[in-house]
Amino acid sequence: MAAHWHVLGAGAIGCLFATALARSGCTATLLLRERCGKSSRSVLVQRDGAITEVHTPVSATGDSGPITHLLVTTKAYDVRGAVGAVAHRLNSDTRLLLLVNGMGLIEELHNDFPNLDIYNSTTTEGAYRIAPLHICHAGTGLTRIGKPGQTRPALWFDQWSRAMSSCVWDANIDSALWLKLAINCAINPLTAVHGCRNGDLARRPELAMEVCRLCDEIAAISRAAGYMSTAAGLEQAVTDVIAGTANNRSSMLQDVQNRHRTEIDYITGYLLAVARRHGIEAPHNKSLFERVHKLEP
Ligand code: PAF
């Protein structure tokens, strides 16, 4: 029987996955902070100029009724509070799938909810919000899902591989998350501090030099933490992402420009915590971490 997913975080990625799961035969309910007086809302998904309307069940976080499968797509700093808001609906059978930026949240969730069965994921699907519950699916990408040490896909995974055009079970999900974190550490804070697009990190020599210094530190921390392939290929991976997203404003730059809190604590903050554990100094990353914090409201 197809699982019933509840999706916490009705932003671009939450709406994208909720509608994809619904189209593949699952029930996918969007969890909203406030009661809206309706049992479903229409979610608009724009793709290549065409708009698809998907009638999607909604439920307020404060409602009752058990949640068996929970997908969390909030901002990293909202995860604990958001999961806390539905804690009364979770039980020891609930599977929680985390799809957020940064690292360190699994540990925090395990502390808060020791009985939850938690999975992690990362995606390169491109989506952005046009208006509330109206998104643009800008590009297809690869979604990796896994749980460290679990080589066989979870029973519910089959449905996900049908819902998304490209979705794999990754027994080394931590390595995939670390690589994404390392790339984000080299790009996001620098673009946020300099108010520039990703491509400027290659175009402006002084910024390109700073990217190299950041990569050197991140590679040393990666090696110490056992992420050898990230350490070896980091500079090339960062160069490729900068070239492939040259015209983009990074998510951290957008947060700063919108006067929102950033995810720096879960990106560079996590990297610095790992560096400290291994006795590694990372002055360039540390300085950016502090400068981004100063830009936050
Ligand atoms: O966080 C982001 O904005 C993206 O992951 C990336 C690719 C670093 C920049 O657009």
Side-chain angles (χ1 to χ4, degrees):
M1 202 176 71
H4 181 173
W5 284 90
H6 282 79
V7 180
L8 203 44
I13 290 292
C15 286
L16 178 68
F17 281 85
T19 51
L21 285 165
R23 283 198 293 240
S24 83
C26 289
T27 318
T29 298
L30 277 179
L31 288 162
L32 306 177
R33 281 201 187 114
E34 311 287 339
R35 286 198 174 82
C36 69
K38 293 181 183 165
S39 59
S40 75
R41 297 282 302 270
S42 107
V43 176
L44 302 178
V45 183
Q46 203 162 309
R47 180 86 215 257
D48 299 330
I51 297 185
T52 311
E53 185 176 4
V54 186
H55 293 284
T56 309
V58 292
S59 159
T61 48
D63 286 350
S64 54
I67 292 175
T68 58
H69 296 75
L70 180 64
L71 170 65
V72 182
T73 62
T74 62
K75 287 282 189 183
Y77 50 77
D78 274 336
V79 167
R80 293 171 83 181
V83 175
V86 295
H88 61 290
R89 303 174 66 174
L90 310 178
N91 55 55
S92 54
D93 288 331
T94 304
R95 277 90 177 100
L96 184 150
L97 175 60
L98 203 53
L99 180 53
V100 297
N101 284 333
M103 289 181 81
L105 281 154
I106 294 266
E107 294 85 340
E108 291 187 1
L109 285 174
H110 272 309
N111 273 342
D112 294 352
F113 310 98
N115 296 324
L116 271 186
D117 189 14
I118 306 178
Y119 299 79
N120 219 335
S121 61
T122 176
T123 188
T124 55
E125 292 284 347
Y128 60 88
R129 199 177 89 130
I130 294 170
L133 304 186
H134 180 179
I135 63 162
C136 175
H137 187 190
T140 49
L142 174 66
T143 302
R144 295 174 179 277
I145 300 180
K147 185 177 186 179
Q150 185 169 322
T151 47
R152 288 168 69 90
L155 287 176
W156 49 263
F157 175 74
D158 208 30
Q159 202 76 39
W160 277 75
S161 53
R162 254 175 281 152
M164 307 309 296
S165 60
S166 191
C167 185
V168 295
W169 182 263
D170 187 346
N172 293 317
I173 189 71
D174 272 355
S175 299
L177 291 167
W178 180 267
L179 174 62
K180 180 163 192 268
L181 180 107
I183 294 170
N184 283 341
C185 285
I187 297 178
N188 292 20
L190 209 49
T191 55
V193 161
H194 291 278
C196 64
R197 293 192 184 251
N198 295 355
D200 290 322
L201 302 185
R203 271 190 294 270
R204 290 167 48 182
E206 77 285 7
L207 296 183
M209 201 107 83
E210 184 60 9
V211 171
C212 285
R213 291 190 197 104
L214 291 170
C215 283
D216 284 347
E217 289 182 5
I218 301 164
I221 300 163
S222 302
R223 251 189 310 278
Y227 298 108
M228 298 305 175
S229 65
T230 294
L234 182 61
E235 215 165 313
Q236 189 57 52
V238 169
T239 304
D240 292 348
V241 172
I242 290 174
T245 61
N247 221 13
N248 289 13
R249 285 180 306 135
S250 75
S251 50
M252 199 171 284
L253 172 60
Q254 292 182 47
D255 285 337
V256 167
Q257 289 178 333
N258 293 329
R259 311 280 311 138
H260 291 159
R261 185 178 167 186
T262 73
E263 296 177 302
I264 190 79
D265 289 337
Y266 295 89
I267 296 176
T268 308
Y270 185 83
L271 177 89
L272 292 173
V274 175
R276 267 194 305 277
R277 273 208 296 279
H278 292 281
I280 296 177
E281 297 281 334
H284 292 281
N285 283 280
K286 188 158 182 284
S287 150
L288 272 182
F289 176 76
E290 285 159 5
R291 288 172 74 187
V292 170
H293 266 308
K294 287 201 182 111
L295 294 173
E296 291 185 315

